[in-house]
Amino acid sequence: NAVQSGDLITLGYTTWVDGKLLDSTNKTLNPVSKVPIQVIAGKCQLIRGFDQGLIGLKRFENANLTIPPALAYGEYSQDKIKAVRTTEFATVFTVSAVVVGNKIQNESSGEFGTIIAVNATHTTIDFNPPLAGKTLVIDVRILAIAKPQQAS
């Protein structure tokens, strides 16, 4: 039986970005590996391209999924780079220190960003997801497929 939307599947995976290991359930590649994960196929529990790539795979099948930015974390957008007056920064964002590289959160929107520049008047923040604009390569192995429980 092949994976269909709504199936509970158990899988192992390894994700590569720009040829570098990002994450894996394989303990050989990642000593602090997570155990294989369980997801419901087609229910947006994974990035869209990963979720779509699982449909049709069979138990114990291996697949290599190449996921473009549009089906992963989106394209990188210059519109998501914002400059804020440094004097107003603390009233809008939660951050331990205004230092390049620090992660911040907008108190009102809940949006996360990374400080990319600081000067005497402004702090510049990149609100793009860290993997925006990146193509992901995911090696996946389907370990189990369970059909949804029938309502009684």
Side-chain angles (χ1 to χ4, degrees), residues 4-19:
Q4 298 176 350
S5 185
D7 288 349
L8 175 65
I9 58 175
T10 303
L11 59 91
Y13 69 92
T14 299
T15 304
W16 306 90
V17 178
D18 298 330

Side-chain angles (χ1 to χ4, degrees), residues 30-81:
N30 182 8
V32 293
S33 170
K34 301 169 187 76
V35 295
I37 62 170
Q38 284 192 324
V39 296
I40 299 173
K43 298 300 180 194
C44 301
Q45 294 178 322
L46 303 167
I47 58 170
R48 192 167 25 146
F50 193 178
D51 203 21
Q52 291 172 355
L54 298 174
I55 303 298
L57 297 179
K58 293 180 171 62
R59 185 171 182 220
F60 300 126
E61 184 172 359
N62 294 313
N64 178 270
L65 309 174
T66 298
I67 303 171
L71 296 176
Y73 294 95
E75 297 293 343
Y76 190 86
S77 173
Q78 290 296 324
D79 293 339
K80 292 188 175 186
I81 296 175

Side-chain angles (χ1 to χ4, degrees), residues 104-125:
I104 58 97
Q105 182 176 13
N106 184 314
E107 290 289 334
S108 59
S109 71
E111 191 174 27
F112 290 92
T114 303
I115 298 171
I116 59 172
V118 179
N119 65 34
T121 60
H122 287 84
T123 298
T124 306
I125 307 151

